[in-house]
Amino acid sequence: MSDFIEETFADLDNFYPGSKRKRREAPEPVVKDTGWEDEYFEKFLPNGEKVQMYTLGSLAKALERPTKTVRYWVENGQLPTSPYRLPSKVGANGKVYVGRRLYSKAMILATVEIFARAGLLGTDRVDWSTHRNLGDKIAEAWDKIRAEEMQVNE
């Protein structure tokens, strides 16, 4: 009996209900590119150490957010400003273009860890009214990291 039922309803998912028209194939799931470590700049710190620096886009990928969102957070003071920048450039029309914001790998990893502890990785939205001290925690972590990066190794 169960074979008869299975045979009868076997094509149920292949056709639209009440129609002889076949359903479209389900699209392949899109795999998100979370490789934020792929693109970096190598810069020398004042202590002579060579460090890999990442852009705001890499920070956004690591936090699983759009770049525009992270830029908005920085402009509104929810995230601290980057202590590192590329030099400014003057365009052909005389306009000054501010250099890109740069973050060290340790800064990005610390930010991701703080977001993970707050349960904000993979969420749709960050409610900054309930996470008011998040920016302060990130700023403290970045200050410690920057102090370590600036120490002269003897």
Side-chain angles (χ1 to χ4, degrees), residues 87-99:
S88 298
K89 294 182 181 179
V90 179
N93 59 358
K95 184 178 177 183
V96 177
Y97 295 96
V98 180

Side-chain angles (χ1 to χ4, degrees), residues 49-101:
E49 188 178 332
K50 193 178 198 180
V51 177
Q52 293 178 348
M53 303 297 265
Y54 299 89
T55 61
L56 183 97
S58 297
L59 175 64
K61 275 186 184 178
L63 294 176
E64 301 173 5
R65 305 281 174 197
T67 304
K68 188 175 182 178
T69 301
V70 177
R71 193 177 299 121
Y72 177 80
W73 290 346
V74 171
E75 289 169 0
N76 284 352
Q78 285 134 342
L79 287 182
T81 58
S82 171
Y84 305 111
R85 271 194 182 266
L86 287 176
S88 298
K89 294 182 181 179
V90 179
N93 59 358
K95 184 178 177 183
V96 177
Y97 295 96
V98 180
R100 291 176 157 191
R101 301 169 179 103

Side-chain angles (χ1 to χ4, degrees), residues 1 10 21 38 40 44 46 48 55 64 90 92 106 131 140 146 153:
M1 182 73 173
R21 198 174 79 180
D38 297 341
Y40 59 88
F44 287 97
T55 61
E64 301 173 5
V90 179
H131 299 285
E140 280 180 33
R146 186 149 192 244
N153 297 331

